Amino acid sequence: MAGMATRTTRRSQRRTEALSRERIVGAAVELLDSAGEGGLTFRALAERLSTGSGAIYWHVANKDELLGAATDAVIAGALPAGPGDPAAGPREEIRAVALGLFVAIEEHPWLATQLSAQMARNPWGPVTPRIFERVGRRVRALDVPEENWFTATSVLVHYVLGAAGQNAANTAGARALGPDADRAAFLDSVAKAWEDLDPEDYPLTRAAADQIRDHDDREQFLAGVDLVLAGVMTLRPAAPPS
Amino acid sequence: MAGMATRTTRRSQRRTEALSRERIVGAAVELLDSAGEGGLTFRALAERLSTGSGAIYWHVANKDELLGAATDAVIAGALPAGPGDPAAGPREEIRAVALGLFVAIEEHPWLATQLSAQMARNPWGPVTPRIFERVGRRVRALDVPEENWFTATSVLVHYVLGAAGQNAANTAGARALGPDADRAAFLDSVAKAWEDLDPEDYPLTRAAADQIRDHDDREQFLAGVDLVLAGVMTLRPAAPPS
DNA sequence: ACCTGAACACCGTTCAAGT
DNA sequence: ACCTGAACACCGTTCAAGT
């Protein structure tokens, strides 16, 4: 019965430290990062916090609320408050915010699903306004007519979340291929599958297979952001000075 | 053995009819439509097909594959093959494809999550090429330089899926508010929550609350598509003739 | 007030056994 | 070849009982 342990993976911060919503959310983020969406379990969480699974319910209503709190905690850290860099123009600021979300999702792949879920079924929660405000303010600075703010911001946010999620999935897919496989190997396997499609039905996808093989992910991502920004600029009332 | 039945809610097509992958996928779609993502269960599916839950595994590897097959079946129906309407220009065709996806997701809200999941973690499956090809071909017809096809198509698809998912979630949210509540009531509750935000931190979100209240969903959606298209047009090599 | 941990009502998946 | 249905190893959530 004597635990022969002292494991190096300290799994209980300190069993005397009181449980709190904050500690629970922190442990949930760690679990999501290390074990993925399927790894977050009340039992695993309780073990990591060296408590009973029922105890968590004293601080958190249910798993949905826990996921929402974890999502908001990470986003709040990734999109800090404040007016950003005043030297950069709004376009550069938008690119920076977009890239910030891209990187956050790369570091926490579970964010992609959760952010979409939060914005979709819980738009009154803290996550949606946080992202909307951050992006929308910069869109306004672009001199877009007021009735177009919402459309422009929606397009930007949906694209950013979708593309960043795609990128994170590519990383995850590469890891799943094997520990030695890298991102290029994964994209290559996708390209091969596309090249095997029926030439009759999928000429364009076959032609695009090559492009997917060697592309820089961030560059591609930012090219998409620039495309949206180019569309946004066409909404401005008058021709801008050069 | 004489069934006294002939139930009006025919829940077993005919118990003598052999099980098949096609029947299973069809029943899965019905279950997803009527009971949502949480309603698709091997036990519920087995009951509906009047068979044992284990039998399903003879035709389908696991739940992921079943969800993928259900998603592909619906998308194949919503985006029929063929070159579309040759009379319309590529911009009109892109709007039509986008609206087709929008409507399909409105009718099958579980599609929003599943499409993103399929494109992200299963890009070699049938769903991704189907959508990509349909949209990409029209983008090419816009005379976009070849190296921009992928970016332009990605932006369009990510926006369409994100916005359509948001729309479907609004419909679902309204239903959840109560059987008598409509979409306007739901959006109003979101707007109210946004108006209660801290004016210091969320000036723009508060200002946008009003816009969310009375907006036509399809019109808003198509405005976003047009914004992306405007951005895509800027990629064309030369100034087009009027 | 906060925590424990057994118990409940579910899951997806497997597999010996049937036909 | 195809189907049955009990069994296994999980889940999220509840709740009497403890401190």
Side-chain angles (χ1 to χ4, degrees), chain A residues 3-224:
Chain A
M4 61 182 329
T6 56
R7 302 271 230 72
T8 46
T9 60
R10 36 109 230 178
R11 63 162 30 152
S12 58
Q13 302 263 84
R14 185 198 203 106
R15 40 44 150 82
T16 59
E17 189 171 352
L19 214 50
S20 69
R21 191 181 157 95
E22 208 177 27
R23 272 190 69 213
I24 291 171
V25 171
V29 171
E30 285 178 25
L31 219 39
L32 286 164
D33 287 345
S34 63
E37 302 195 48
L40 179 59
T41 280
F42 276 81
R43 283 167 176 82
L45 199 53
E47 198 198 358
R48 185 178 272 252
L49 295 163
S50 49
T51 182
S53 61
I56 297 167
Y57 284 89
W58 183 261
H59 299 93
V60 159
N62 53 41
K63 193 172 182 179
D64 272 359
E65 193 190 293
L66 178 58
L67 278 166
T71 302
D72 188 50
V74 173
I75 284 299
L79 296 182
D85 183 0
R91 291 182 64 149
E92 274 314 310
E93 284 195 300
I94 288 175
R95 287 167 59 108
V97 172
L99 203 53
L101 281 167
F102 184 87
V103 170
I105 291 171
E106 206 169 35
E107 287 167 351
H108 312 277
W110 50 274
L111 264 186
T113 307
Q114 285 308 311
L115 284 174
S116 299
Q118 285 300 312
M119 297 193 53
R121 29 182 173 281
N122 194 17
W124 51 81
V127 174
T128 306
R130 209 187 287 278
I131 294 179
F132 188 84
E133 182 77 25
R134 211 67 64 180
V135 176
R137 236 184 263 189
R138 270 84 177 176
V139 169
R140 185 184 50 176
L142 246 28
D143 291 328
V144 175
E146 185 174 342
E147 73 264 26
N148 294 323
W149 289 355
F150 193 81
T151 299
T153 305
S154 289
V155 174
L156 266 169
V157 170
H158 285 309
Y159 168 65
V160 166
L161 297 188
Q166 180 69 256
N167 176 68
N170 289 344
T171 307
R175 249 197 301 274
L177 258 185
D180 50 338
D182 62 346
R183 187 184 198 73
F186 176 74
L187 291 179
D188 190 61
S189 75
V190 175
K192 280 209 175 67
W194 284 10
E195 281 161 355
D196 284 342
L197 288 168
D198 183 346
E200 193 82 21
D201 291 340
Y202 294 97
L204 193 112
T205 307
R206 282 164 51 94
D210 241 14
Q211 291 189 41
I212 209 186
R213 239 188 274 262
D214 49 34
H215 79 283
D216 181 303
D217 302 282
R218 285 183 196 212
E219 195 181 357
Q220 180 84 256
F221 172 72
L222 287 174

Side-chain angles (χ1 to χ4, degrees), chain B residues 26 31 41 80-82 103 121 130 161 177 180 189-190 211 215 240:
Chain B
L31 219 40
T41 281
V103 170
R121 30 180 172 281
R130 209 187 286 279
L161 297 188
L177 257 185
D180 50 338
S189 76
V190 175
Q211 292 190 38
H215 79 282

